[in-house]
Amino acid sequence: MSRRRPRRRRRLLIVLGVVLALLIPVGVSYGQALTAPGYASFSARSVDWVRNHGGESLVNWYETYYYTHHQPPATGLPTEALPPAPPSATRTVPGTNAPLTLPILPGVAALPGEGLWQPSPQQVGGIPASWTTFFRPDPKHTGVVAGVSWLDRRVAVPQLIPGTVEPGGTGYAENYSVPASERPGLVAVFNSGYKFKDAHGGYYIEGRQVVPLSDGAASLVVNKDGTTRVGSWGKDVRMTPDVVAVRQNLRLVVYSGKPNPTITTDTSGTWGSTRSQFQYTWRSGIGIDRQGNLMYVAGNQLSMQTLAEAMSKAGIVRGMQLDIHTNMVFFTSFTPDRSVSYGLVPQKLLPAMPGPMTRFLMPDQRDFFAIRLRSAVAP
């Protein structure tokens, strides 16, 4: 009896040793993911680690199950915090050629501040760099809200900034965040697109294709003069000597001012994993209006169809989806104030957007867009 116990203990120790030997590399790998340079939330780091270690199908299944089975209620008011109603604002944005007015759901009273545009404090020659508001785009779900930012091309200039992981690499002029020298003229920052292994598109910056550009991919193109174009690569937009940056992500979701009609029938992963277009989750999109002004649209509990409809209703004529899901969708505008951290007072487009207010002012794992002021009003 006494001889059997030492044998059992030895066997148990051997089994424990084998288990620990198997778990140590996993723990080290996960620890490295949690401590990798650049900002990313704990949940985002954890999900990415699972995806990168054979769990992508499991994550996609769970996201599809969760988001398609947690649809917003058909009626009722928004449950998340809304931007404060401005003391004075306008229902129409004085665009370069035509005013922009957002629709109010028929038969439903407007919420305080809904559809009322607030001008950015960042201005050039008395012209606000941007105007922001929110509205309800989905008559089938009256509690769903989309935030909108309209960026005046005459005074607002976009800049594409790489992240430490997406696209990764070194040798960039900007070190994965908004440079301190550009913060006084910073208008806003917002998220870019999918991770490149899922984006079906490329990344061009500072004269090099960091990720190869793909024909047919939805593309946001930044020119030397600070103007932007959005379109299908090789059809609406292409490489020219004037191009300084290109960010591609999936396929266009709005064309000629209308949502892509295949959104509700696609099962080939055109807009992410199969069936991801039917998930009700945080989503964001970018596009141009008829005058070439950039417009950003985002909100929670949006399906792919709802986002495309919101973008179309907001006035976008050609638009693309950006990133989706919690902690991936982020837009902050800024007011200069030298007495506070970073010299800027941040304000989220929608108060419920997850993430720190100063995101992208510090190094980030994901690439993003910064909007800055022109030195003078462009024609």
Side-chain angles (χ1 to χ4, degrees), residues 191-347:
N191 64 281
S192 185
Y194 280 24
K195 296 177 68 175
F196 286 98
K197 69 182 185 65
D198 302 315
H200 306 303
Y203 191 94
Y204 176 87
I205 193 173
E206 299 178 11
R208 54 175 167 151
Q209 290 193 50
V210 182
V211 181
L213 299 175
S214 176
D215 284 344
S219 307
L220 195 163
V221 179
V222 182
N223 300 316
K224 288 180 180 178
D225 63 0
T227 59
T228 54
R229 294 174 291 155
V230 174
S232 177
W233 190 254
K235 179 182 178 182
D236 309 303
V237 292
R238 54 186 50 84
M239 185 59 66
T240 70
D242 294 327
V243 173
V244 296
V246 181
R247 191 11 160 132
Q248 297 184 324
N249 196 58
L250 308 175
R251 294 294 186 267
L252 291 176
V253 297
V254 176
Y255 199 83
S256 297
K258 297 180 180 179
N260 190 317
T262 66
I263 287 175
T264 57
T265 58
D266 173 68
T267 57
S268 61
T270 300
W271 290 284
S273 60
T274 304
R275 294 188 60 83
S276 69
Q277 64 267 27
F278 302 116
Q279 298 175 5
Y280 288 85
T281 183
W282 277 100
R283 293 183 185 270
S284 58
I286 195 76
I288 53 171
D289 68 7
R290 296 188 184 280
Q291 289 76 47
N293 300 291
L294 205 59
M295 298 189 72
Y296 175 95
V297 178
N300 193 12
Q301 295 187 307
L302 298 175
S303 67
M304 184 66 260
Q305 176 71 14
T306 308
L307 173 65
E309 290 177 352
M311 293 167 67
S312 175
K313 291 175 181 178
I316 289 175
V317 294
R318 282 203 302 273
M320 55 192 280
Q321 180 178 237
L322 294 177
D323 217 344
I324 68 173
H325 293 330
T326 304
N327 293 313
M328 299 295 109
V329 177
F330 194 82
F331 184 107
T332 302
S333 57
F334 299 97
T335 301
D337 187 341
R338 294 183 180 180
S339 67
V340 300
S341 298
Y342 299 101
L344 297 165
V345 177
Q347 181 175 338

Side-chain angles (χ1 to χ4, degrees), residues 8-294:
R8 290 175 182 174
R9 290 194 186 104
R10 283 196 295 270
R11 291 172 183 171
L12 179 59
L13 290 173
I14 291 172
V15 171
L16 289 175
V18 171
V19 171
L20 287 174
L22 294 174
L23 288 179
I24 286 174
V26 174
V28 171
S29 173
Y30 184 52
Q32 290 173 339
L34 294 180
T35 57
Y39 171 79
S41 68
F42 173 80
S43 60
R45 290 173 184 262
S46 298
V47 169
D48 282 345
W49 183 85
V50 173
R51 286 185 184 276
N52 294 334
H53 289 79
E56 184 162 9
S57 297
L58 176 62
V59 172
N60 289 341
W61 173 85
Y62 174 77
E63 288 178 345
T64 297
Y65 176 83
Y66 180 86
Y67 289 118
T68 55
H69 287 77
H70 287 77
Q71 299 186 22
T75 59
L77 297 175
T79 57
E80 296 178 335
L82 298 175
S88 61
T90 176
R91 192 162 291 281
T92 61
V93 165
T96 54
N97 294 315
L100 178 64
T101 304
L102 294 181
I104 301 299
L105 290 179
V108 178
L111 299 168
E114 183 176 6
L116 296 179
W117 293 95
Q118 301 184 62
S120 166
Q122 295 281 51
Q123 302 182 6
V124 176
I127 300 176
S130 68
W131 296 74
T132 59
T133 188
F134 69 92
F135 76 117
R136 287 174 289 175
D138 187 357
K140 296 180 181 179
H141 304 97
T142 60
V144 171
V145 167
V148 184
S149 178
W150 182 89
L151 299 156
D152 195 318
R153 63 182 177 83
R154 296 171 295 175
V155 298
V157 177
Q159 180 180 14
L160 180 59
I161 299 179
T164 60
V165 175
E166 298 293 328
T170 59
Y172 301 109
E174 315 299 356
N175 292 321
Y176 319 112
S177 64
V178 177
S181 61
E182 296 184 8
R183 289 173 190 163
L186 186 63
V187 176
V189 293
F190 59 86
N191 64 281
S192 185
Y194 280 24
K195 296 177 68 175
F196 286 98
K197 69 182 185 65
D198 302 315
H200 306 303
Y203 191 94
Y204 176 87
I205 193 173
E206 299 178 11
R208 54 175 167 151
Q209 290 193 50
V210 182
V211 181
L213 299 175
S214 176
D215 284 344
S219 307
L220 195 163
V221 179
V222 182
N223 300 316
K224 288 180 180 178
D225 63 0
T227 59
T228 54
R229 294 174 291 155
V230 174
S232 177
W233 190 254
K235 179 182 178 182
D236 309 303
V237 292
R238 54 186 50 84
M239 185 59 66
T240 70
D242 294 327
V243 173
V244 296
V246 181
R247 191 11 160 132
Q248 297 184 324
N249 196 58
L250 308 175
R251 294 294 186 267
L252 291 176
V253 297
V254 176
Y255 199 83
S256 297
K258 297 180 180 179
N260 190 317
T262 66
I263 287 175
T264 57
T265 58
D266 173 68
T267 57
S268 61
T270 300
W271 290 284
S273 60
T274 304
R275 294 188 60 83
S276 69
Q277 64 267 27
F278 302 116
Q279 298 175 5
Y280 288 85
T281 183
W282 277 100
R283 293 183 185 270
S284 58
I286 195 76
I288 53 171
D289 68 7
R290 296 188 184 280
Q291 289 76 47
N293 300 291
L294 205 59

